[in-house]
Amino acid sequence: MSYADLLRGPHVIRLLLGTLVGRLPSAMAAVAVPLALRQAGASYGFVGVAVGAFAVASAVGGPLLGRLVDRVGQPRVLLPTALVAAVGFAVVAVAPGSTAAVLGGVVLAGAATPPLEPCLRALWPDIVAPGKLESAYALDSASQELVFVGGPLVVAAGVAVASPTAALWAGALLGVAGVLVVATAPPARAWKAPARPADWLGPLRNRGFVVLITGLTGVGVAIGTLNVLVVSYAEGHRLPGGAPTLLALNALGALTGGLAYGAVRRWRVAPPRRTLLMMLGLTAGYGLLCLLPAPPYMACLMLFTGLFLAPVLTVVFVLVGELAPAGTVTEAFAWLVTLMTAGVALGSAVTGTVLEEAGATWAATCGVLGLAVGTLVILAGQAQLVPAAREEAGAAPARAAA
């Protein structure tokens, strides 16, 4: 199976591109909101509060919206939330100097962030053949790096042409446009989750799923550490492009790793063990970051640290789809996004504090520790990561990637 074959499948390009465009506002907000607030004279303290409020609102709203999708379908959730989120960004753009308006706007935009990632991952089993599913997840996890690169570039273009508030308006429009592409696609309109038991825990009642998302929180911590660490590193070294260059190299590594992983025709290692191996590779890469080498070697390390990220996410997507109880798959993927986001926030906060108090080397260990704890959780819960149905069948074969 080639990626060209996968992309030629019905609705694949439409859903993938629509999701990427619809997710740009979240990546843009991290840059556009601070720029708009600073232009309006806000303090850095308030900027931090506003960005944090957006992240917290997104993390809280994600699982709730995912559960709603499982109950009423994708278009009925995606379209209203896209409009509400756009209103939130518009409020910030209209009144960046008003504390109440900004906080209300970012909370609205964050809480109503359309759950495009969970929706796409719930759709993959319906739009690709079973043998191509893992390759589809690999393409999904690799392509999301384009969001983190493209979002800031769109903001930069908006600022260059007009102003930071123009970038917020652009984000609002892009969010609605992306959601319209996805929500009006036949697979999204036809998708319906199986009936779910009357259990408020949803996917959290599955122990293996809880093990999985807990372990992935450590990956989020590592990403948060890296985001802060590269800024400090770039300030102390002559590096073309500074921190953005390092993050772009990391994204390139993740894109390469994800595509290489999905190109493997068949994995002989079962998904639970594969998750552990990929986590170990990711931990090794972040361990080397503690050396803080000269820029040429640091650039290579950025590629290496990214190399295992998309494969980790890909195999986790496979396990989430297998472990989530019937009728909870969208909510399950939303919980994964939420726990990763919480890990990123925790990693950024802790790393910033350690960086000021103890220096860059100790700050770099925050990411390693997060990954080490996450890896230990995955190791301890290996037995829980085998779906019950496959356990009863007496085997846990790896899902083939065509």
Side-chain angles (χ1 to χ4, degrees):
M1 195 283 302
S2 68
Y3 285 111
D5 294 332
L6 181 64
L7 291 171
R8 279 195 290 266
H11 312 295
V12 169
I13 291 180
R14 174 178 179 170
L15 290 170
L16 188 61
L17 289 180
T19 299
L20 292 176
V21 171
R23 290 177 55 205
L24 282 174
S26 294
M28 295 170 64
V31 181
V33 170
L35 289 177
L37 297 186
R38 287 296 295 165
Q39 186 181 58
S43 67
Y44 279 111
F46 181 65
V47 168
V49 169
V51 173
F54 177 84
V56 171
S58 300
V60 172
L64 297 176
L65 294 177
R67 177 170 294 196
L68 192 58
V69 168
D70 286 329
R71 292 185 181 277
V72 303
Q74 296 193 0
R76 292 182 180 180
V77 176
L78 290 176
L79 291 171
T81 54
L83 293 174
V84 172
V87 169
F89 285 121
V91 168
V92 179
V94 169
S98 168
T99 299
V102 168
L103 290 179
V106 295
V107 169
L108 198 63
T113 299
L116 286 165
E117 286 180 82
C119 285
L120 177 62
R121 286 156 200 166
L123 287 175
W124 282 127
D126 293 340
I127 61 176
V128 301
K132 297 180 180 180
L133 183 57
E134 195 158 356
S135 293
Y137 283 141
L139 181 63
D140 182 352
S141 63
S143 64
Q144 68 179 330
E145 298 302 324
L146 299 176
V147 174
F148 302 120
V149 174
L153 289 178
V154 174
V155 174
V159 171
V161 173
S163 66
T165 54
L168 288 172
W169 285 109
L173 293 174
L174 286 170
V176 173
V179 163
L180 281 173
V181 171
V182 173
T184 57
R189 289 189 285 112
W191 184 86
K192 185 177 181 181
R196 59 186 286 161
D199 182 351
W200 69 272
L201 284 174
L204 298 179
R205 70 173 180 267
N206 183 287
R207 293 181 181 177
F209 175 71
V210 173
V211 167
L212 196 62
I213 61 173
T214 302
L216 262 289
T217 304
V219 177
V221 170
I223 294 172
T225 294
L226 188 68
N227 290 342
V228 176
L229 185 67
V230 295
V231 174
S232 171
Y233 181 88
E235 289 177 353
H237 297 78
R238 291 185 177 180
L239 185 70
T245 297
L246 294 177
L247 291 176
L249 288 171
N250 183 258
L252 177 61
L255 179 63
T256 303
L259 294 178
Y261 177 96
V264 176
R265 298 188 64 85
R266 183 178 181 84
W267 288 95
R268 297 184 181 277
V269 181
R273 183 62 60 86
R274 210 182 313 154
T275 304
L276 180 60
L277 293 175
M278 297 301 170
M279 288 284 287
L280 288 171
L282 194 62
T283 305
Y286 274 81
L288 291 173
L289 279 180
C290 296
L291 299 175
L292 298 174
Y297 302 105
M298 191 66 169
C300 294
L301 277 183
M302 285 295 104
L303 289 168
F304 183 64
T305 53
L307 204 59
F308 287 93
L309 177 59
V312 166
L313 296 178
T314 301
V315 69
V316 166
F317 295 162
V318 172
L319 285 171
V320 169
E322 294 177 341
L323 293 170
T328 68
V329 66
T330 312
E331 182 184 348
F333 279 115
W335 272 113
L336 178 63
V337 174
T338 288
L339 267 293
M340 284 280 290
T341 302
V344 171
L346 176 62
S348 299
V350 172
T351 301
T353 301
V354 174
L355 193 60
E356 290 185 352
E357 300 295 331
T361 300
W362 284 104
T365 64
C366 295
V368 184
L369 289 174
L371 283 170
V373 172
T375 302
L376 288 174
V377 170
I378 297 295
L379 175 62
Q382 283 285 290
Q384 302 290 336
L385 297 180
V386 179
R390 288 166 60 189
E391 255 185 338
E392 292 166 2
R399 176 175 289 176

